[in-house]
Amino acid sequence: MKFKGILTLCLAGASLASYAQTHIDGEEYYKADQLENAKDLLKRSLNNGQTDKAVADYYLGMIAVDENNKAEAAKYFAEGISLNPQYPYNYVGQGLLQLMGGNVKEAENLFKMADKNSKKDASLQIAIARAYDRVDPVQYEKQIAKQIEKARKFNMENPDIYLFEGDQQREAKNWGKAAGMYEMAKSYDPKATAAYVKYANLYTMVNPDFAIKMLGELLTVNPNSALGQRELANAYYNKKEYAKAATEYGKYVQNPSHFKTDENRYAFLLFYGQDYKKGYDYATKLLSEDPNNFTAQRYQFMNAAQIPEMKEQLLPLAENLFAKYKADPKTNRFAPIDFNLISYELQSAGRPDEAIEVLKAGIKEIPDFADFNKSLAMVYIDKNDLTDAAEAYADYMKKIEPGYNDFIQQATFDFYAAIENKADAAKADKYFKAAKENADKAAAILPDNYMPSKIYGDIAKQTAANESAAESAAVADYEKASDLLETMIANNVAEGKAVPGRYKSDAKDINVYLGNYYYEKARNDEKAKLYYNRALSQDPNNEQLRNFVSKIK
């Protein structure tokens, strides 16, 4: 098993309570395999008078080994020995380096030196076992077994034994056995933070409630554990219980051993937990401490955008945020929500060209995020740039698996793009053809919906040879659309649902066209009356329609 670091206990006889808080938490993060965080906290603790620097050097050396920086690791181990030659673990670190270099005899001598300086320390035996395991668990299987046996002989209730065996089972993907070992570790030492965290991590995704329960138990016995507080907050986050995650992060960021980067995450969690005012205030506080905190600036704006009372302040926040992004987009990274919120504010302010610039930046930054193209199409519609809208929506369609509504929307955009380009016959024909093709795809999905037939009729009118021909070109398609609409409207009424305004509007337009055709051109009063009455049923107060109907005998 290749283990990312070695678990150890503190110097025999030294009280944990005598260490600086950050040093204790640094050890906890290390034992929980979170080495980058452990390194941060251990380095923070070095200037604290209560920190045993020989212990810190050991942990920092082991982290350097994991980072494949053997020279730095050797420096830490040597420094640790010079500070306290009786502290055995730095000899283990040096032995590990010799073992990694293939110098087995030298490694064994260093492990013996460590053993000589300890007082039957079971944790030290496990540290040596982990060193062998770190290099080659198969080649050194006997040595590992021997060290575990010695550890049990010294103190079979030492939690490090079961943490190591749990890690071995976890590495072999024997999740149940790993859980059993971690359970034993915490049962022998209820304050073995790493046991709770590793136990919980086995279940975070498959059974988040169990992970939350386990971390809650940890904080019951060790309420000041920064690691426990952070892990519990993250467990709630993984379960998508953002409000609870924010509550736990609120406790964690008060802990002296929290990480500055997690302050930004707290503002983020307040946003997703919908505590927008608190999120805005916290992000504003972070900005007052560091005006260059780009992440805090993002969350300040994101939270403010959800607060109605801040409506008037949103535009300058959006402008400043986008300016900061444009100045250094590689460093000041955006998520989709940033581009969307900023473009919305600019569009709402009547500045569509700037909204388009933001959305195009989003497409360049996150090309697979299809909604940018969709939003871009809508901004073009507001600008009355119908061709650009059709092209933007076509790009959106390429990035998704389109459904009925998508094909109808694309057909509609294509139709209006064709009209916009009527002066260019080839271009107009291209868009009319695309409109029909997309309507065909929609009809294949929902053959009983009226919209494809309406679009066919709209195209027939626009492509008719002249105005007179247009008066009859759409009849067949509109008749089918009218019948389908009648059924759809009747179904809504029967189910007690409101009839959508779009149905009413389209029914009126389609049926007036048909009524006019049968009354004025085909001279079929019966059909004319049928379609006028259908139109009137959707707009009963329309006097003009009533007059049409009254003219027919």
Side-chain angles (χ1 to χ4, degrees):
M1 181 186 76
K2 301 288 186 180
F3 178 62
K4 305 296 186 182
I6 296 178
L7 285 169
T8 68
L9 291 180
C10 58
L11 180 62
S15 167
L16 284 176
S18 69
Y19 289 173
Q21 180 68 31
T22 50
H23 185 88
I24 295 169
D25 284 342
E27 293 177 13
E28 286 190 351
Y29 274 97
Y30 177 79
K31 293 175 182 180
D33 304 340
Q34 298 186 26
L35 304 190
E36 191 63 37
N37 291 334
K39 184 177 180 179
D40 181 314
L41 290 169
L42 289 164
K43 285 196 168 185
R44 256 195 256 175
S45 75
L46 288 176
N47 293 326
N48 191 307
Q50 294 180 326
T51 293
D52 188 320
K53 291 186 179 179
V55 177
D57 278 337
Y58 170 70
Y59 288 119
L60 289 167
M62 294 307 301
I63 293 168
V65 170
D66 188 72
E67 293 171 343
N68 201 30
N69 191 338
K70 295 177 184 177
E72 183 173 328
K75 177 181 75 70
Y76 278 122
F77 296 141
E79 181 181 87
I81 291 171
S82 69
L83 288 170
N84 185 354
Q86 279 72 50
Y87 180 62
Y89 289 90
N90 283 304
Y91 296 108
V92 176
Q94 288 187 331
L96 171 60
L97 291 177
Q98 292 297 326
L99 202 61
M100 292 174 75
N103 304 315
V104 179
K105 199 67 179 174
E106 289 85 345
E108 288 175 348
N109 288 334
L110 285 161
F111 294 153
K112 286 177 183 178
M113 180 71 74
D115 221 356
K116 183 180 176 182
N117 281 280
S118 74
K119 297 178 181 180
K120 295 186 177 181
D121 182 357
S123 291
L124 181 70
Q125 306 310 313
I126 295 302
I128 296 171
R130 284 189 182 277
Y132 281 117
D133 187 80
R134 172 72 168 75
V135 176
D136 192 329
V138 176
Q139 181 180 348
Y140 298 112
E141 182 179 2
K142 289 182 180 179
Q143 290 89 332
I144 293 168
K146 179 182 176 182
Q147 297 304 139
I148 294 174
E149 184 181 351
K150 282 181 69 176
R152 279 199 163 90
K153 181 180 177 182
F154 291 158
N155 180 8
M156 69 175 296
E157 294 185 358
N158 186 297
D160 280 6
I161 299 169
Y162 305 100
L163 282 168
F164 178 44
E165 292 180 330
D167 292 340
Q168 288 180 309
Q169 296 297 334
R170 183 188 62 188
E171 189 76 11
K173 295 183 170 50
N174 295 326
W175 313 119
K177 289 182 179 180
M181 291 297 105
Y182 296 145
E183 173 69 36
M184 288 183 70
K186 79 180 188 65
S187 68
Y188 284 129
D189 181 3
K191 291 191 176 182
T193 302
Y196 292 93
V197 171
K198 290 183 173 184
Y199 200 174
N201 285 343
L202 292 176
Y203 291 91
T204 297
M205 294 304 176
V206 295
N207 189 347
D209 289 328
F210 181 83
I212 289 166
K213 175 179 175 291
M214 188 58 52
L215 294 164
E217 287 181 17
L218 163 61
L219 291 174
T220 299
V221 297
N222 190 1
N224 296 320
S225 169
L227 173 61
Q229 293 169 340
R230 189 172 188 264
E231 289 292 308
L232 180 58
N234 287 335
Y236 278 121
Y237 174 78
N238 289 332
K239 198 184 172 191
K240 295 184 169 49
E241 293 189 10
Y242 300 123
K244 289 182 179 179
T247 297
E248 296 305 321
Y249 249 93
K251 299 173 188 175
Y252 161 68
V253 295
Q254 301 302 315
N255 192 307
S257 293
H258 77 272
F259 302 107
K260 290 294 290 182
T261 52
D262 287 331
E263 293 178 352
N264 293 333
R265 190 170 196 190
Y266 180 42
F268 161 82
L269 286 170
L270 288 168
F271 173 78
Y272 279 98
Q274 300 182 20
D275 197 345
Y276 304 125
K277 181 63 168 63
K278 193 171 183 179
Y280 171 79
D281 290 341
Y282 190 75
T284 302
K285 169 183 169 292
L286 295 180
L287 279 170
S288 70
E289 296 168 357
D290 178 10
N292 294 317
N293 187 334
F294 179 70
T295 303
Q297 187 178 355
R298 288 179 58 221
Y299 294 144
Q300 182 193 49
F301 173 62
M302 285 163 55
N303 279 288
Q306 314 306 315
I307 304 171
E309 295 78 12
M310 298 201 67
K311 184 176 176 58
E312 300 304 317
Q313 301 174 52
L314 292 180
L315 186 58
L317 289 176
E319 291 171 328
N320 292 336
L321 185 57
F322 190 60
K324 185 72 72 73
Y325 165 79
K326 282 204 302 182
D328 190 357
K330 289 185 178 179
T331 302
N332 300 329
R333 304 298 296 272
F334 270 174
I337 190 172
D338 301 287
F339 293 107
N340 281 334
L341 287 174
I342 293 170
S343 63
Y344 176 81
E345 287 306 319
L346 291 168
Q347 186 180 0
S348 298
R351 292 155 61 177
D353 290 332
E354 292 170 81
I356 288 168
E357 179 191 1
V358 172
L359 290 168
K360 284 186 173 180
I363 293 168
K364 182 179 178 181
E365 182 79 22
I366 315 171
D368 293 334
F369 190 74
D371 280 358
F372 288 149
N373 301 91
K374 185 177 184 180
S375 298
L376 185 61
M378 299 309 171
V379 178
Y380 279 129
I381 287 293
D382 283 353
K383 276 192 72 181
N384 207 32
D385 289 345
L386 306 177
T387 304
D388 286 337
E391 292 299 325
Y393 207 85
D395 289 336
Y396 166 70
M397 295 278 279
K398 293 172 187 174
K399 298 177 181 180
I400 64 168
E401 293 184 8
Y404 174 84
N405 290 332
D406 300 308
F407 288 121
I408 289 296
Q409 185 68 81
Q410 183 67 65
T412 304
F413 283 155
D414 288 334
F415 174 76
Y416 285 111
I419 294 174
E420 187 175 65
N421 289 282
K422 263 201 163 181
D424 184 335
K427 208 169 184 181
D429 182 64
K430 166 193 160 186
Y431 284 111
F432 278 132
K433 183 179 178 183
K436 184 180 183 308
E437 288 174 353
N438 281 295
D440 287 343
K441 291 173 183 176
I445 297 171
L446 291 179
D448 294 333
N449 193 289
Y450 78 95
M451 276 301 297
S453 295
K454 178 185 182 299
I455 291 170
Y456 299 148
D458 294 343
I459 294 171
K461 283 197 300 182
Q462 291 295 327
T463 55
N466 52 52
E467 189 173 332
S468 177
E471 292 173 359
S472 58
V475 170
D477 293 313
Y478 276 3
E479 283 190 320
K480 182 176 180 180
S482 176
D483 290 342
L484 290 171
L485 256 174
E486 285 296 296
T487 300
M488 293 172 70
I489 290 170
N491 288 341
N492 272 54
V493 172
E495 294 170 9
K497 298 178 182 177
V499 177
R502 176 68 183 271
Y503 288 9
K504 293 181 179 182
S505 174
D506 286 345
K508 176 186 168 185
D509 293 344
I510 289 169
N511 288 309
V512 166
Y513 174 93
L514 291 171
N516 290 342
Y517 167 75
Y518 280 111
Y519 182 69
E520 297 171 1
K521 225 171 168 61
R523 301 296 183 182
N524 186 328
D525 288 352
E526 184 180 349
K527 282 202 168 185
K529 193 167 187 177
L530 168 69
Y531 290 116
Y532 280 142
N533 275 325
R534 283 184 178 182
L536 189 60
S537 69
Q538 302 309 319
D539 189 7
N541 297 319
N542 190 311
E543 290 300 321
Q544 185 179 24
L545 283 174
R546 287 190 180 281
N547 290 336
F548 283 155
V549 174
S550 66
K551 289 178 185 178
I552 303 171
K553 297 179 181 179

